[in-house]
């Protein structure tokens, strides 16, 4: 019988059963509840992380109006993306997530290519997110040190770029160590992270405007539009669009719920719930946080001035001056900044968790160099090698900051656009190639699935163009927006690898999965046996007393062999098990 599923058992976890139907055996420990799944994703979205680190961007491009309304616009369209992803996640609850979905939805002809391009955009985008988050934390820590030692105007210590990268490396090391712990302990940290983010948002959104001796009016918060950006841009529409970057960057990373499905109970139901709930709650509390902090803003130009005590770090300056103006000392503001720093730390921790599960799944299907190393799990059922690989690559990506800030910004720009392209591809295949063949899971959008999907795809296409526009004029080597360059280079590299190598050996997903879904729905498995179980056995190399005939390496099977196996082997296996 299929390993892990007992004959006659009525209590088999639905996510566990569905994973076997899709052609994979359970290797990771399935111990996460809906709350734990939500916690990891909510911690990755982390409104305290995104809104704090990009508050300067929002102030520069539009200010309060971009905050109040841009957040809601980006949040609404993000929910459309999340709903479409949730519907697909319910049908295919695997750690591979997006790339696996693309393979199944694109059909047998396009499956390998669709899976390849989606997977690489997804995993590189995730690494870029981890790089960006942990580097942002290193910068926040350096600002805390600066303010704690007197501030920029008081002779405070200003960390060099080498100190910042050293802090970044130490943070990644801690994240790798934490992610090497058993999933039960990691689940505790995930729930603690969610609680910290949630409580932290409410504390800061109430505390800061309450302590402030001077507050902005409601009219300022909801109607003031800052056009004094110093970037040579005067068009209000253009400015508002650039202000959306803060909101859209923050609302990213919710694919983590999908990557954690193989460790989540009833994943076909709780995976989608994790995605939707994390986005919805983030939109609500994030809006409250933005408005609460903005009520303490009285002079935008002073906050953005690089010569202020926080060195131009707007939110740090707000926190510091709010407490200093009332109590004569900015210690309270430094403590508040510490609350944000802990939230960012948890965000990076959860990001490494998601990275490692994606790397584990992608290498399980043979897509990564040295795949046999990265998909191994230890005795605690943790993909330990994938954890350390993700931390190492994120550190290497951050090293570009030592050579050029422009190169570093180009690298981390993949975090938003690259990830959203990976989000949109399976949705696009769902509303086009798989429009009629898609079989929904327990969570589905019914007749609205196609409409919601198209809205999601068009939104991603729109932001991909908008965020590639210049952010400053005149355009020079230092002001050029290198986002399209970075994303374009990634695309060329991925396509080149496909043309010259991967198309000869990468099949997207296992033959067992492909064959099974093409010909037989789950009912054809009888008491744990059937086409799926037999083909799964073929996929397990060198185990037990299997004959050499069953010891096949599926990653090395060519397309012609795949077609022969699919259209000849599967019916024969089906006939055998019906006799």
């Amino acid at each position: 019988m299929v390993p892990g599923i007992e004959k006659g058992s009525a209590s088999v976890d639905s996510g566990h059963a569905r994973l076997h139907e899709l052609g994979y055996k359970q290797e990771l420990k399935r111990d996460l509840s809906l709350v734990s799944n939500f916690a990891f994703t909510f911690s990755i979205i982390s409104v305290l992380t995104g809104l704090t680190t990009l508050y300067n961007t929002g102030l520069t491009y539009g200010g309060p109006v971009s905050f109040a309304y841009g957040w809601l616009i980006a949040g609404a369209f993000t929910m459309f993306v999340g709903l479409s992803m949730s519907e697909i996640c319910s049908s295919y609850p695997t750690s591979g997530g997006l790339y696996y979905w693309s393979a199944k939805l694109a059909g047998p002809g396009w499956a390998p290519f669709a899976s390849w391009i989606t997977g690489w955009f997804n995993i590189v985008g995730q690494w870029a997110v981890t790089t960006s988050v942990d580097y942002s934390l290193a910068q926040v820590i350096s600002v805390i040190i600066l303010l704690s030692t007197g501030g920029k105007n008081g002779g405070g210590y200003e960390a060099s770029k080498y100190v910042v990268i050293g802090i970044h490396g130490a943070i990644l090391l801690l994240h790798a160590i934490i992610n090497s712990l058993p999933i039960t302990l990691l689940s505790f940290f995930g729930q603690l992270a969610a609680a910290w983010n949630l409580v932290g948002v409410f504390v800061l959104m109430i505390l800061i405007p309450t302590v402030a001796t001077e507050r902005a009016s409601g009219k300022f918060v909801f109607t003031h539009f800052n056009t004094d950006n110093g970037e040579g841009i005067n068009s209000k529409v253009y400015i508002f669009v650039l202000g959306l970057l803060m909101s859209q960057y923050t609302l990213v990373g919710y694919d983590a719920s999908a990557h954690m499905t193989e460790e989540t109970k009833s994943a076909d139901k709780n995976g989608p719930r994790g995605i939707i709930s994390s986005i919805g709650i983030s939109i609500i509390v994030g809006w409250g946080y933005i408005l609460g902090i903005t009520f303490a803003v009285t002079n935008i130009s002073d906050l953005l001035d690089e010569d202020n005590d926080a060195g131009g770090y707007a939110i740090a300056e707000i926190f510091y001056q709010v407490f200093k103006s009332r109590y004569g000392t900015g210690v309270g503001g430094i403590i508040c900044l510490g609350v944000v720093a802990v939230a960012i730390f948890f965000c990076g921790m959860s990001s490494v968790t998601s990275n490692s599960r994606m790397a584990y799944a992608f290498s399980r299907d043979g897509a990564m160099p040295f795949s046999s190393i990265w998909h191994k799990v230890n005795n605690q059922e943790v993909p330990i090698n994938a954890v350390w690989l993700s931390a190492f690559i994120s550190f290497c990506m951050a090293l570009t900051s030592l050579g050029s800030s422009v190169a570093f910004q180009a690298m981390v720009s993949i975090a938003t656009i690259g990830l959203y392209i990976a989000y949109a591809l399976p949705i696009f295949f769902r509303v086009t190639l798989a429009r009629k063949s898609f079989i929904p899971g327990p969570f589905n959008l019914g007749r609205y699935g196609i409409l919601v999907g198209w809205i999601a795809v068009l939104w991603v296409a729109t932001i991909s163009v908008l965020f590639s526009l210049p952010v400053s004029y005149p355009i020079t080597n230092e002001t050029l927006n290198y986002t399209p360059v970075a994303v374009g280079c990634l695309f060329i590299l991925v396509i080149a690898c496909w043309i010259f190598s991967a198309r000869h050996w990468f099949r997207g997903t296992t033959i067992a999965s492909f064959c099974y879904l093409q010909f037989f729905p789950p009912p054809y498995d009888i008491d744990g046996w059937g086409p799926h179980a037999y083909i799964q056995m073929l996929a397990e190399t060198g185990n037990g007393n299997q004959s050499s005939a069953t010891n096949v390496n599926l990653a090395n099977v060519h397309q012609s062999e795949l077609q022969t196996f699919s259209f000849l082997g599967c019916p024969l296996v089906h006939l055998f098990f019906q006799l």
Side-chain angles (χ1 to χ4, degrees):
M1 63 184 65
V2 178
I5 299 181
E6 298 180 0
K7 180 177 180 178
S9 174
S11 60
V12 174
D13 180 90
S14 60
H16 188 162
R18 180 58 176 152
L19 183 66
H20 278 280
E21 291 169 9
L22 295 175
Y24 295 112
K25 64 180 180 179
Q26 185 73 45
E27 293 181 308
L28 303 178
K29 187 175 182 180
R30 193 175 291 275
D31 200 41
L32 297 182
S33 63
L34 168 61
V35 173
S36 297
N37 183 286
F38 156 80
F40 278 111
T41 304
F42 182 70
S43 300
I44 290 177
I45 295 177
S46 183
V47 294
L48 283 178
T49 298
L51 295 180
T52 298
T53 56
L54 279 175
Y55 198 80
N56 281 48
T57 301
L59 273 182
T60 302
Y61 300 107
V65 167
S66 289
F67 293 148
Y69 306 108
W71 177 261
L72 295 179
I73 292 172
F77 283 106
T78 297
M79 182 58 79
F80 279 106
V81 178
L83 285 169
S84 289
M85 288 174 60
S86 296
E87 183 179 50
I88 302 172
C89 178
S90 182
S91 183
Y92 306 118
T94 74
S95 291
L98 305 170
Y99 87 88
Y100 186 93
W101 304 347
S102 287
K104 293 306 171 188
L105 296 170
W110 289 97
F113 177 71
S115 178
W116 175 263
I117 192 170
T118 303
W120 278 109
F121 265 93
N122 189 195
I123 197 167
V124 174
Q126 285 192 355
W127 287 330
V129 166
T130 301
T131 301
S132 179
V133 169
D134 282 1
Y135 193 83
S136 295
L137 176 54
Q139 290 177 318
V140 169
I141 292 174
S142 67
V143 172
I144 290 175
I145 295 172
L146 172 64
L147 293 174
S148 300
T149 53
K152 189 169 184 177
N153 296 317
Y157 175 76
E158 295 186 65
S160 68
K161 60 184 179 181
Y162 298 102
V163 172
V164 172
I165 200 69
I167 296 173
H168 176 264
I171 294 167
L172 276 170
L173 178 63
L174 287 175
H175 284 159
I177 292 172
I178 293 174
N179 275 278
S180 300
L181 298 174
I183 189 63
T184 303
L185 290 175
L186 196 57
S187 174
F188 167 76
F189 279 111
Q191 293 183 47
L192 177 62
W196 186 278
N197 272 274
L198 199 58
V199 174
V201 166
F202 281 104
V203 168
L204 293 176
M205 65 186 277
I206 296 172
L207 180 63
I208 297 302
T210 300
V211 173
T213 56
E214 294 183 65
R215 300 184 190 89
S217 65
K219 181 179 180 180
F220 175 85
V221 172
F222 290 101
T223 65
H224 180 73
F225 192 86
N226 180 40
T227 57
D228 185 19
N229 50 64
E231 303 295 346
I233 300 175
N234 299 315
S235 168
K236 288 188 175 182
V237 174
Y238 199 166
I239 292 172
F240 182 78
V241 164
L242 294 178
L244 284 176
L245 176 62
M246 177 198 70
S247 302
Q248 200 61 74
Y249 172 81
T250 303
L251 296 171
V252 74
Y254 43 88
D255 57 313
S257 283
H259 297 304
M260 300 301 292
T261 50
E262 290 187 32
E263 295 162 277
T264 302
K265 299 172 185 176
S266 301
D268 52 343
K269 305 179 187 70
N270 290 334
R273 291 170 181 165
I275 295 173
I276 296 170
S277 60
S278 60
I279 295 174
I281 294 176
S282 293
I283 292 172
I284 296 170
V285 301
W287 197 57
Y289 178 65
I290 293 174
L291 296 182
I293 300 303
T294 306
F295 268 107
V297 173
T298 55
N299 191 313
I300 294 177
S301 60
D302 285 350
L303 294 176
L304 296 174
D305 187 356
E306 293 184 359
D307 291 325
N308 62 31
D309 282 323
Y313 203 111
I315 277 194
E317 182 69 9
I318 292 173
F319 290 176
Y320 189 73
Q321 293 300 333
V322 159
F323 279 87
K324 188 175 182 180
S325 63
R326 180 173 289 275
Y327 302 110
T329 176
V331 173
I334 296 173
I335 294 174
C336 288
L337 199 58
V339 171
V340 174
V342 173
I344 300 175
F345 179 85
F346 282 137
C347 176
M349 176 200 75
S350 299
S351 185
V352 172
T353 305
S354 180
N355 290 179
S356 61
R357 271 53 181 182
M358 172 59 192
Y360 157 80
F362 209 30
S363 60
R364 180 175 58 184
D365 283 320
M368 297 177 64
F370 308 107
S371 286
S372 60
I373 297 175
W374 313 128
H375 77 78
K376 287 183 178 179
V377 297
N378 62 11
N379 294 332
Q380 284 77 41
E381 299 176 304
V382 174
I384 189 74
N385 295 342
V387 167
W388 288 90
L389 172 70
S390 297
F392 176 73
I393 290 180
S394 294
F395 179 71
C396 290
M397 293 177 77
L399 291 176
T400 56
S401 65
L402 298 178
S404 167
S405 61
V406 173
F408 177 70
Q409 291 302 322
M411 185 74 70
V412 299
S413 68
I414 300 174
T416 301
I417 303 303
L419 269 185
Y420 266 98
I421 289 174
Y423 291 176
L425 285 173
I427 299 174
F428 176 74
F429 297 135
R430 154 74 178 95
V431 298
T432 53
L433 299 177
R435 179 175 181 140
K436 295 182 179 179
S437 60
F438 176 70
I439 302 176
F443 174 86
N444 63 85
L445 302 176
R447 60 180 179 174
Y448 299 106
I450 300 298
L451 175 62
V452 172
W454 272 116
I455 293 174
V457 170
L458 292 175
W459 174 247
V460 173
T462 300
I463 62 173
S464 296
V465 173
L466 296 181
F467 292 161
S468 297
L469 298 175
V471 296
S472 182
Y473 288 89
I475 300 175
T476 66
N477 289 337
E478 292 298 320
T479 62
L480 178 66
N481 184 352
Y482 284 88
T483 297
V485 177
V487 175
C489 287
L490 175 60
F491 179 77
I492 292 172
L493 181 61
V494 170
I495 294 298
C497 289
W498 172 259
I499 292 174
F500 294 108
S501 178
R503 67 188 179 91
H504 298 295
W505 50 265
F506 182 65
R507 298 298 155 227
T509 56
T510 62
I511 290 181
S513 177
F514 174 84
C515 175
Y516 184 84
L517 289 181
Q518 285 293 310
F519 292 94
F520 311 115
Y524 281 103
D525 273 354
I526 303 172
D527 293 332
W529 277 97
H532 163 266
Y534 179 73
I535 300 169
Q536 180 68 21
M537 181 183 70
L538 295 182
E540 297 173 356
T541 62
N543 294 329
N545 296 318
Q546 297 176 33
S547 68
S548 59
T550 64
N551 294 335
V552 295
N553 186 347
L554 300 184
N556 294 326
V557 179
H558 292 280
Q559 184 67 35
S560 60
E561 295 169 313
L562 175 65
Q563 293 172 343
T564 301
F565 189 88
S566 299
F567 292 97
L568 177 59
C570 285
L572 292 178
V573 173
H574 166 61
L575 177 61
F576 173 80
F577 281 102
Q578 294 303 302
L579 295 177

